[in-house]
């Protein structure tokens, strides 16, 4: 995997709150992304402990396919995922270590679309994003993730 990049970064300060676009964000192992609802343990699913609440990714190509195939436009922030990528098959990162810029991560499981995403976006996106809703990952090293950073699988 090469050539993949971060296209957008978003965090929400509170459960159900608006996703705010950022140029960069600090990733902290065991906590998540500074400024995000799961970092402060105020996310909708914060009561469910686990590393899979630290950071989420989604492919911009999945959002483009949703618009092309289902005629539903969904912006990266509306997906409720933290990092939107281009040129990265995020499903292939499940169980693998990878880097976003200087930050090392481990893909944990797919982040399937849910009724919560549909309710907050106000759009019927679930069927169009099944198995393309993103990736939940664990942050392994602290550092800053920036828009434009490369996304690379570690060997």
């Amino acid at each position: 995997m090469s050539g993949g990049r971060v296209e957008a970064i978003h965090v929400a300060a509170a459960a159900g709150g608006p996703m705010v676009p950022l140029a960069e964000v600090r990733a902290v192992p065991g906590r998540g992304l500074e400024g995000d609802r799961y970092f402060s343990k105020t996310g909708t699913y914060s009561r469910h402990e686990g590393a899979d609440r630290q950071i989420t990714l989604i492919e911009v190509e999945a959002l483009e396919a949703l618009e092309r195939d289902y005629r539903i436009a969904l912006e990266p922030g509306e997906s409720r995922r933290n990092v939107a990528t281009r040129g990265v098959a995020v499903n292939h990162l499940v169980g693998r270590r990878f880097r976003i810029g200087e930050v090392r991560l481990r893909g944990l499981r797919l982040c399937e679309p849910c009724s919560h995403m549909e309710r907050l976006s106000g759009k019927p996106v679930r069927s169009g994003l099944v198995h393309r809703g993103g990736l939940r990952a664990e942050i392994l090293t602290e550092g800053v993730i920036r828009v434009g950073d490369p996304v690379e699988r570690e060997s």
Side-chain angles (χ1 to χ4, degrees), residues 34-69:
E34 283 185 354
D36 192 58
R37 65 226 184 258
Y38 290 102
F39 187 89
S40 61
K41 298 198 182 293
T42 60
T44 300
Y45 301 103
S46 287
R47 70 182 180 279
H48 303 286
E49 291 291 325
D52 62 347
R53 304 277 177 232
Q54 293 178 18
I55 185 171
T56 54
L57 295 85
I58 191 164
E59 300 171 24
V60 170
E61 292 89 345
L63 302 177
E64 291 169 347
L66 179 69
E67 185 168 10
R68 181 188 65 238
D69 299 342

Side-chain angles (χ1 to χ4, degrees), residues 97-141:
R97 291 178 186 257
F98 63 101
R99 285 186 172 290
I100 300 178
E102 65 187 34
V103 178
R104 294 181 63 228
L105 303 107
R106 182 170 58 98
L108 298 176
R109 66 184 177 96
L110 297 184
C111 189
E112 294 291 359
C114 62
S115 61
H116 184 65
M117 177 199 284
E118 282 190 326
R119 191 169 43 259
L120 292 176
S121 72
K123 299 174 182 180
V125 299
R126 267 197 291 189
S127 61
L129 289 177
V130 169
H131 307 311
R132 298 205 69 193
L135 174 74
R136 295 183 179 281
E138 177 182 16
I139 298 166
L140 301 176
T141 61

Side-chain angles (χ1 to χ4, degrees), residues 76-98:
E78 290 180 291
S79 74
R80 309 298 293 177
R81 307 304 184 246
N82 301 119
V83 176
T85 64
R86 181 173 295 282
V88 180
V90 299
N91 287 12
H92 297 175
L93 296 175
V94 172
R96 304 213 184 250
R97 291 178 186 257
F98 63 101

